[in-house]
Amino acid sequence: MPTYLLFDVGSTYTKGCIVDIDQERILAQASALTTATTDISIGIQAVKDRMMDVLSKVTIDQTLACSSAKGGLKMVAVGLVPDLTLKAATLACYSAGAKVIQAYSFMLNDHEIKQIEDSGCDLLLLTGGTDGGNRDVVLHNASKLSKLNRKFPILYAGNKSCQDDIRAILSAGGFDITICPNVMPVYGVLEVEECRDKIRDLFLSTIVKAKGLSELNSLIKEIVLPTPYSVMEALKLLSSGTKSESGIGDLMAVDIGGATTDVYSMNKQFVVKDNVGYKGLKEPLQKRSVEGDLGVRFNAHSVYELKADEVDDEGMKDYVQEIEEGKIDSFDTQKDSRLAAWCCEIACQRHAGRMETSYTPMGVGYYQSGKDLRDVRVMIGIGGPILHSKNPVEILKKALTQKAHPEILLPLEIEAYLDRNYVVSCLGLLAHRHPDEVLRLLKRNVEKLNDE
Amino acid sequence: MEKTTIVIGVIGADVHAVGNRIIEYAMNQAGFNVVNLGVMVSQKEFVDAAIETNAKAIIVSSLYGHGELDCRGLGDACKEAGLDVLLYVGGNLVVGKSDFEVVEEKFKKMGFDRVYPPGSDIEQGIRDLMADLKNKA
């Protein structure tokens, strides 16, 4: 079986590893600091140099990469009702590893069309209506979009009854239109899998080239996945296991970066406890959420603003100011940990479901919306700020249910784990090719932390 | 031909589920595509569901006596959302022994097309719905 050279490019650190599938071993691993402005190939070369000892001795059969370069996969989501098809569309984008830079509901107006024109999106997901449901709004939106000057791929995943019309309208407008099954075929039912696959296919077939990532092609022979997609594949495998080897079960993971914080939750079943009603769309068992305003570098300031009123400052204000102005020479690990802890706390709270209490004439009633994660125990930390922290457990513990907010359905207890060697995103690239081997590699490399 | 979609549910904090199931069953049998929102349904959920599914009617149940409070504004909310739907309501709509005609008038003023007292025959409701839909078409 082959030996792979894997890269994760485009974020603050470029990561790389060499994996020998036969021996089920990671032969070498390295990361290098890369700034957003530098050429991707510089980071790759730096990582290669650091692994040169091993690299010079083995034969690499294939080189693969996941990328979040040039802003990652930037998408615009268009739906009908905000809580229904727009939410479904947004969840579909997230689960495909995309960042939703704009989201629109109901009929698009000229102002919104202008915003989409200027958004610089890589792909637009158009939805609206259940199958056999509303047609007018999505047809209106398609014909508005068809007049845009800037062309980008459009994926349609709305009312199936309009598929042919939508194809005709958007093709006539010069758009590359892809059709896939409805993200919400019947009321309240979410179907994101096919949509997710189509987004990935479009990323590979057209977007990588359009984003100017083809410079990667000279260095890397095959597949470039969006990084969060690859992370998701790895976490799915780690959670559910394979036919021959069991996974570790339900888990959550938080990936804190410089600009964004991603939260993942993988569940076997959708939990709704006894005597609790459910409201709204049932979210995916494998859910990812992205917080575009939470990060320890480019968004340090916005994280601070969100927490400033609740916490003692202890120099944080000056620190985030310095980061913002780019005046910092050496980063303060302790303060970075504090920022990371805030990112973890806010992002996990936004990710989790809610329990509402309703006092009715028949007694107290409870209803849930979103995912109940109270019974999840495994909490995995991914990304530089957690990795470099002196106390990663403390950061991850911010994902616990808080006494002041029992309505937010976060874990009651956690066991903290860490992606110590920065390998989760890279290993996700091999999740489909060598599931058993990769699962065992993940189990060995996602390290359990002791409570300090 | 595509089936006509209708949205049903029990409004407010009401958890009476049995009648809701009977309505779902009977309406399905009568050939409708039924979107059942279940119990404890808010006005917003009725409106959102009707928009996405292109429903032609919203059928609201209320059994616990608070129907008047819960239903107030639903007719306006539908108009505001641009929905052109038939709005039906039925059940134990108010507490105490009110004259049904008074209750009916009150709910009609709130924008409901048909109002049904406790113990109404579902078959009658279905006949009314079919006739009203035909008249509207």
Side-chain angles (χ1 to χ4, degrees):
Chain A
M1 273 194 275
T3 302
Y4 292 95
L5 176 58
L6 308 171
F7 289 105
D8 169 0
V9 303
S11 47
T12 318
Y13 286 87
T14 299
K15 280 91 73 177
C17 62
I18 302 168
V19 179
D20 183 330
I21 290 293
D22 257 341
Q23 296 184 49
E24 288 179 22
R25 274 184 56 205
I26 294 172
L27 303 176
Q29 187 280 332
S31 59
L33 194 66
T34 33
T35 58
T37 46
T38 41
D39 186 347
I40 300 163
S41 53
I42 297 171
I44 290 182
Q45 197 50 53
V47 170
K48 272 183 160 178
D49 290 345
R50 285 177 194 192
M51 299 193 292
M52 204 38 96
D53 279 1
V54 179
L55 212 50
S56 57
K57 287 185 202 120
V58 296
T59 318
I60 299 294
D61 297 286
Q62 204 166 23
T63 305
L64 306 170
C66 57
S67 159
S68 55
K70 314 218 167 166
L73 171 56
K74 289 180 284 184
M75 289 186 66
V76 170
V78 180
L80 174 49
V81 173
D83 282 345
L84 297 173
T85 43
L86 178 56
K87 186 166 182 209
T90 309
L91 285 165
C93 295
Y94 286 159
S95 69
K99 200 191 261 181
V100 177
I101 52 169
Q102 292 174 356
Y104 299 98
S105 52
F106 303 113
M107 284 190 183
L108 292 167
N109 60 35
D110 289 341
H111 177 66
E112 291 166 329
I113 283 290
K114 176 82 174 54
Q115 285 179 328
I116 294 173
E117 177 103 63
D118 300 338
S119 69
C121 69
D122 301 312
L123 172 64
L124 182 141
L125 175 60
L126 176 63
T127 67
T130 52
D131 283 348
N134 184 291
R135 296 170 52 90
D136 302 346
V137 175
V138 78
L139 287 171
H140 165 93
N141 289 345
S143 81
K144 277 274 187 193
L145 289 167
S146 72
K147 295 184 186 83
L148 285 175
N149 293 317
R150 195 174 86 84
K151 309 293 175 197
F152 39 80
I154 294 181
L155 178 60
Y156 176 67
N159 184 354
K160 79 171 172 70
S161 315
C162 313
Q163 280 177 359
D164 301 331
D165 296 325
I166 298 280
R167 189 195 298 278
I169 294 167
L170 288 167
S171 305
F175 280 88
D176 171 10
I177 167 85
T178 308
I179 306 278
C180 90
N182 201 338
V183 284
M184 196 182 88
V186 291
Y187 175 84
V189 176
L190 188 69
E191 302 265 357
V192 296
E193 276 308 307
E194 286 206 49
C195 187
R196 177 177 183 264
D197 291 348
K198 282 278 189 320
I199 295 173
R200 182 205 53 207
D201 293 348
L202 283 166
F203 184 79
L204 295 178
S205 64
T206 57
I207 297 165
V208 169
K209 209 177 281 169
K211 283 180 85 72
L213 293 176
S214 46
E215 61 194 68
L216 274 175
N217 285 352
S218 56
L219 299 151
I220 290 157
K221 289 287 164 279
E222 225 187 300
I223 66 160
V224 180
L225 285 179
T227 301
Y229 190 103
S230 188
V231 172
M232 188 112 165
E233 291 301 307
L235 294 174
K236 255 191 201 172
L237 180 62
L238 183 61
S239 168
S240 344
T242 66
K243 273 182 199 145
S244 49
E245 176 143 353
S246 60
I248 63 169
D250 288 3
L251 61 85
M252 278 182 77
V254 59
D255 182 350
I256 303 173
T260 56
T261 298
D262 291 16
V263 180
Y264 302 83
S265 59
M266 307 282 151
N267 299 80
K268 202 172 198 157
Q269 278 173 330
F270 198 91
V271 180
V272 181
K273 302 248 159 134
D274 288 349
N275 300 319
V276 173
Y278 191 84
K279 290 288 163 195
L281 217 50
K282 281 208 171 156
E283 296 184 339
L285 293 174
Q286 284 126 8
K287 178 187 171 186
R288 166 180 177 248
S289 57
V290 191
E291 308 306 334
D293 59 342
L294 304 176
V296 298
R297 291 287 172 267
F298 310 103
N299 280 316
H301 204 265
S302 75
V303 178
Y304 174 77
E305 288 294 316
L306 286 165
K307 293 296 286 183
D309 294 341
E310 304 169 30
V311 293
D312 291 332
D313 196 77
E314 291 166 7
M316 290 304 283
K317 188 174 184 182
D318 297 335
Y319 186 62
V320 297
Q321 190 70 31
E322 283 171 38
I323 294 178
E324 175 132 309
E325 289 164 8
K327 282 188 198 155
I328 276 193
D329 304 320
S330 65
F331 289 103
D332 181 331
T333 322
Q334 215 168 347
K335 291 200 171 79
D336 278 347
S337 290
R338 257 191 113 188
L339 282 172
W342 291 341
C343 290
C344 178
E345 179 182 350
I346 302 166
C348 287
Q349 288 185 347
R350 290 181 188 166
H351 181 95
R354 297 287 187 275
M355 184 77 76
E356 278 182 64
T357 311
S358 176
Y359 299 94
T360 80
M362 280 83 76
V364 181
Y366 297 98
Y367 50 93
Q368 172 187 337
S369 53
K371 291 178 88 172
D372 183 349
L373 302 169
R374 287 177 296 178
D375 294 337
V376 175
R377 290 292 169 266
V378 175
M379 181 75 203
I380 303 169
I382 302 172
I386 305 181
L387 198 58
H388 299 135
S389 166
K390 288 205 178 94
N391 195 351
V393 178
E394 203 171 80
I395 298 176
L396 294 173
K397 276 193 167 173
K398 292 286 177 184
L400 287 168
T401 294
Q402 294 182 2
K403 273 198 185 114
H405 294 288
E407 77 282 5
I408 302 174
L409 305 174
L410 281 167
L412 300 171
E413 290 167 47
I414 57 159
E415 292 161 12
Y417 288 74
L418 187 62
D419 175 20
R420 174 76 76 193
N421 296 314
Y422 252 147
V423 290
V424 167
S425 56
C426 287
L427 287 176
L429 290 161
L430 301 176
H432 282 281
R433 298 176 186 213
H434 309 287
D436 288 314
E437 292 83 357
V438 170
L439 174 59
R440 286 190 285 268
L441 276 168
L442 282 167
K443 281 182 179 173
R444 282 207 303 276
N445 281 281
V446 175
E447 178 188 328
K448 188 169 177 185
L449 301 170
N450 293 321
D451 208 340
E452 284 156 32
Chain B
M1 209 183 92
E2 275 178 5
K3 287 179 177 180
T4 301
T5 300
I6 59 167
V7 171
I8 71 168
V10 187
I11 200 165
D14 196 343
V15 294
H16 289 91
V18 179
N20 171 258
R21 295 283 163 81
I22 295 171
I23 295 174
E24 178 181 4
Y25 178 81
M27 290 291 182
N28 263 323
Q29 291 294 307
F32 291 100
N33 172 36
V34 183
V35 176
N36 188 357
L37 305 179
V39 298
M40 292 175 81
V41 181
S42 67
Q43 289 193 3
K44 181 175 179 296
E45 283 176 274
F46 277 112
V47 172
D48 282 356
I51 296 174
E52 281 293 357
T53 61
N54 198 24
K56 300 292 178 231
I58 295 176
I59 294 164
V60 179
S61 306
S62 177
L63 281 300
Y64 72 157
H66 299 243
E68 188 187 338
L69 275 173
D70 293 336
C71 291
R72 202 176 282 164
L74 180 58
D76 289 341
C78 288
K79 281 195 198 107
E80 202 65 72
L83 278 174
D84 178 25
V85 289
L86 289 166
L87 208 49
Y88 284 21
V89 66
N92 253 326
L93 298 175
V94 292
V95 180
K97 286 206 185 307
S98 296
D99 196 351
F100 180 69
E101 275 158 32
V102 179
V103 175
E104 187 178 21
E105 201 187 316
K106 202 179 263 174
F107 277 80
K108 284 202 163 162
K109 266 193 187 150
M110 281 155 58
F112 286 88
D113 298 286
R114 295 214 183 240
V115 187
Y116 296 92
S120 298
D121 181 8
I122 183 71
E123 295 300 331
Q124 184 58 46
I126 291 169
R127 282 194 294 274
D128 291 344
L129 182 57
M130 285 177 165
D132 288 352
L133 285 168
K134 210 172 160 188
N135 282 338
K136 256 188 122 170

